[in-house]
Every structure is written in C-alpha cells, then in structure tokens.
Amino acid sequence: MATRRVGSLLNRSFTSASMFSKGRSSSVVRGIGKYSTDASIESPISPSVKVNYTQLLINGQFVDSASGKTFPTLDPRTGEVIAHVAEGDAEDVNRAVSAARKAFDEGPWPKMTAYERSRVLFRFADLIEKHNDEIAALETWDNGKPFEQAAKIEVPMVARFFRYYAGFADKIHGLTVPADGEYHVQTLHEPIGVAGQIIPWNFPLLMFAWKVAPALACGNTVVLKSAEQTPLSALYAATLLQEAGLPPGVLNVVSGFGPTAGASLASHMDVDKVAFTGSTDTGKKILELAAKSNLKTVTLELGGKSPFIVCEDADVDKAVEMAHFALFFNQGQCCCAGSRTFVHEKVYDEFLEKAKARAERRLVGDPFKGGIEQGPQIDSDQFEKILKYIDYGVKAGAKLETGGERVGTKGFYIKPTVFSDVQDDMRIASEEIFGPVQTILKYKDLNEVIRRANNSRYGLAAGVFTQNIDTANTLTRALRVGSVFINCFDVFDASIPFGGYKMSGIGREKGIYGLSNYLQVKAVVTPLKNPAWL
Ligand code: NAI
Ligand code: MG
C-alpha cells in the first residue's frame, strides 16, 4: 500500500509543473544543459517547526553529554546551523548501555506481556500519524529532502513499519522438535538483549523505524546512535515512544560522531548485537570492532552500485521515467539507487535523448516548496564528493550530456546530471557516487548484460524493465543481488525483506526475515519419562 505510493506519487505528481525561474547558476565543474535557478534556493522558506529536543536521551531523561560538548546540525539548504546538539562519546554510550542493560535484565520490557508491548508500538504509530507534518518538517530541515516526500511517503511508512512489527510482538513462538530418543524438545525464541543501532542520514526516520521497530517488538532494549548530520528526528520520535508508554531505558538515543560514539557502541562489551546502515568501509570497521570485543552479532546494510536494465522490448517513455526515479530519488542518496543504467543498443539513442530531457525537467529547489522533486545534498562533504566524481567521469572520457555543476550560490544543490558513453571500468560506473548522477551504459545481449551487471563488488538491488516474462525470469535468477524490482523500483513496504549480497551487507532487514536479527533460539530438552538416574 505505502509502497505503491512511493512509485506513483513520485512518478506522477512530482513531474508536471515547472517551478523554475529565470537566471543562471554558478559553475563549479562545468555545466551544460538548459537549467535555471529556482528563486527559492536563494531565499529559503522558514520551516514551520521548532527544535525542542537536542540533548541525549538516557534512561528516559534528556541529559547533556558527560563532556558538556555539543555539535551543530546544519541546514543543507544554506549550510547554516539549525541547532546545537549534545555530543555523545564513550562515557555517554556507557551510561546509555547501562540503562538499556538494566531495562533488559531487570526492567519491565522483556517481562511485559507481548500484547502489552505491541500496544505501546501501536500507540506510537498513532502518535507518529498525529504529528506527521511536524516530524516531516523536522526531517526536511535537517536533511534537505522534499517535504512532500517526507510528509506523504516516509513518515507514513514509519507508522506502517511500527504497526507491522507491533503485530508480530505477540506472534513470536518457537517449535516443537521431533528429536530422536525419548525427549520432548522445544525451541524458545528469545530477545538477544541490548541492541546497538547505528543509522545514516539519508532516511533518518525510516532507518530509525527499520532498526527500532523489530528490536522492540522482539523484546530487546536499544541504544541508537543517529547520524551526526541528522540527529533531530530520532530525538523527536523517541519522545513519542515514551509518550506511548515505553518504559525508561528501553530506547536510549545518543547523538554523536562515528569514530567516537559509534565505535564505542560497536565495541561495547555489554552490547549483544549491533545493526548498522551506511558505507561499506564503515561496515567493515563495525564488524572488526564487534569481533575484537565480545563477538556481538552484526547486521550490515551497506553500499551499492545497482544495475537498472532496460531491455530491447521496453516501452521507452516508461523506462526513462522509472530509471530516472531509480537514480534521482532522494537526491540520489539511496543505497540501492539504480546507478548503472544499462540500455539495450536498439533503444539506446531514444532512451538517452529522453533521459537527458527528463533530467533537465527535474524540479530542483527549496525542499519546503510544493512540487519540488530535488533538494540539496546532505552536506559539503557529499557535495564535493559528487562534483569530484563528475570530474572523474569527464576526465575518463564519458560524455556529460547535462548538468555537472551546482545550482544556485547557496547550500548544496547539484544539477541533475547525465553521462552517456560510460564504460564499466570508469569510476563513475563502479563506485558509489550517492548523488544525482545518472550513468548510461549500452549493451547488446542478455548474457553480456548479466555478466556486466554482476561484475561488481556490490549486490544490493537491480531494476529490470521488460515486457517479456522469459527475460524477466532469466535476469531475476541470474542477478546476484538482494532485491530485484521488475518494472518498478524502490518498493519498500515493511513486509519486503531487504539486504545485500556480496559487499552490500550481511543479513536481511524488514519483513518476517527482520525478526531473526533480534531473536536467538534456545533449545529446551526434557526427557519424556523421569530418567533412572533421578
Ligand atoms: P558512514 O557509513 O561513515 O556513516 C553512517 C553512520 O555510521 C553514521 O551514523 C556515522 O556516524 C557512523 N559511523 C561512521 N564511522 C563509524 C565508526 N568508525 N564506528 C561506528 N560508527 C561509525 O557514511 P558517511 O560518511 O555519512 O557517508 C559516506 C558514504 O557512505 C556516502 O557517500 C555513501 O556512499 C555511503 N552511505 C551509504 C548509506 C546507505 O544507505 N547504505 C547511507 C549513508 C552513506
Ligand atoms: Mg542536518
């Protein structure tokens, strides 16, 4: 339900009216194509929300960090400070873990009936809906994503996630096992304990939901570290969870940086499990910290370079729109972005012309303004990284069809960019750019595109655009990826498992599969008759 809305909303309602005003933008790399700067970029709209929560949430209380330090969270539209947020470090993580430990070992959460736990999560979903627009505004302000995307898709999906997992809370049960011998054997599915969760900035609140909802539904307690670029929505959501009746210490939120707060959590001896979403490089560090400390179990959702394959029989107009959505959605800042657009040679020229025209029609502007499809990138690091990749592409000989430079003079806006004549070994075709840069590659036949699509260290997702069921089935089975989207993309209902093959990660989140990350199995063996030795 919510998933269909992602595609339809973004593909229909965000593509029509032109919101651009006249005027040239400044050049950073080099720019071609017909763009003008939306006036809203130069005079940002004031968000209609206040920042009320900036401290750390530990044991049900908002507190300053032990060091007293704070860090600024910035508005990507301008680079200006929104608020100063308490900066958690090892000492704060220790306190948060102690609170979570106590809430698990002694506290009410794992001991509450599963029905009571589910009711807290259901009440939270209601509260999220009640505060939908406020929380969406906070998300847009901190992250730069279009408000309509946050308010109509992402925040409603958060409620959907919590209801999905709330429904499981009282349906988690083990098996009766037909073991050999005179024994009755049953399995108990128990919570793991204290879960450490480290989330990224591209979907701050959705990542909160992906992580927190299954952990709590299964009876775990949590210490969550939000991304340093986007700490605000997790703090807000945590207060709503408390209002819904979550006992103190069950969810603790520590804002702060990766190498300090994040690494302390991943290496903590009293954390039983760590779940992480972010870059592959940081994922490797997390796995190492877990191994070197207490061998806590690890789930990782990492990077990608997902192929989007347009077959020779595809309806080109529809394929262009879907491929555009697959790459440009959320400013191109998606782990599963369809960032290698493989197009069959028969339709390549037509596709390229239309893909370029579509990118030039993309509405870039203040994310608070209605109808805007693309806001700023998250921060100056990402902005610079993307422009650097555009430069690599040009220098490697790919053809810059359109875009390639910043939009406006403020903030971190980048023009929707399209490259053609891209070769597999170019950096823009093999490394994660995480920005609004579409790379279009030509192919001749199915076996060739399977080989090329699989020739990546990543294996997160793939898009397949075809009307031929044989082609769809062949590609589905041949592609070494965790999700295949046929004639659609980014369908993210709570029930659909998500995760990576190869270096895109370990484990699956969402759906029924997501529960196993937060449960462990205990085998209980009882003799059928009192044994002779008793
Ligand atoms: P990152 O992977 O470093 O950051 C993600 C989270 O990990 C943040 O909460 C961060 O504070 C934390 N972290 C960083 N270093 C850590 C450490 N040593 N120990 C524990 N936690 C740590 O990603 P970053 O720097 O924000 O972005 C770099 C690139 O990563 C992006 O350009 C993009 O390619 C990729 N990325 C992928 C995401 C995904 O959804 N798979 C999300 C964000 C970034
Ligand atoms: Mg921010």
Side-chain angles (χ1 to χ4, degrees), residues 21-27 31-37 42 405-409 415:
S21 63
K22 301 263 184 283
R24 294 301 312 166
S25 51
S26 69
S27 170
I32 47 176
K34 309 170 217 114
Y35 286 95
S36 50
T37 302
E42 303 302 329
E405 61 181 3
R406 83 181 299 173
V407 184
T409 59
K415 286 181 178 174

Side-chain angles (χ1 to χ4, degrees), residues 196-207:
Q197 306 187 320
I198 301 172
I199 58 173
W201 44 262
N202 52 345
F203 294 94
L205 200 64
L206 260 186
M207 291 300 106

Side-chain angles (χ1 to χ4, degrees), residues 471-515:
T471 306
N473 283 328
T474 302
L475 285 170
T476 300
R477 277 151 185 76
L479 292 167
R480 301 206 55 231
V481 297
S483 302
V484 181
F485 297 110
I486 298 169
N487 300 334
C488 62
F489 208 80
D490 281 351
V491 180
F492 277 134
D493 186 64
S495 62
I496 305 171
F498 185 79
Y501 280 36
K502 302 194 260 181
M503 285 173 73
S504 288
I506 299 177
R508 296 292 175 271
E509 291 185 308
K510 306 207 290 138
I512 196 165
Y513 299 87
L515 293 169

Side-chain angles (χ1 to χ4, degrees), residues 198-203 207 225-229 256-264 266 276-283 285-286 289 301-304 333-336 382 385 432-434 460:
I198 301 172
I199 58 173
W201 44 262
N202 52 345
F203 294 94
M207 291 300 106
K225 195 202 80 68
S226 52
E228 57 272 27
Q229 296 87 345
F257 293 87
T260 49
S264 305
F276 168 77
T277 298
S279 63
T280 295
D281 284 348
T282 302
K285 288 183 193 154
I286 304 266
L289 292 171
E301 299 281 3
L302 307 175
Q333 302 167 148
C334 294
C335 49
C336 63
Q382 291 296 313
K385 172 183 166 184
E432 191 172 49
I433 301 175
F434 230 61
L460 197 53

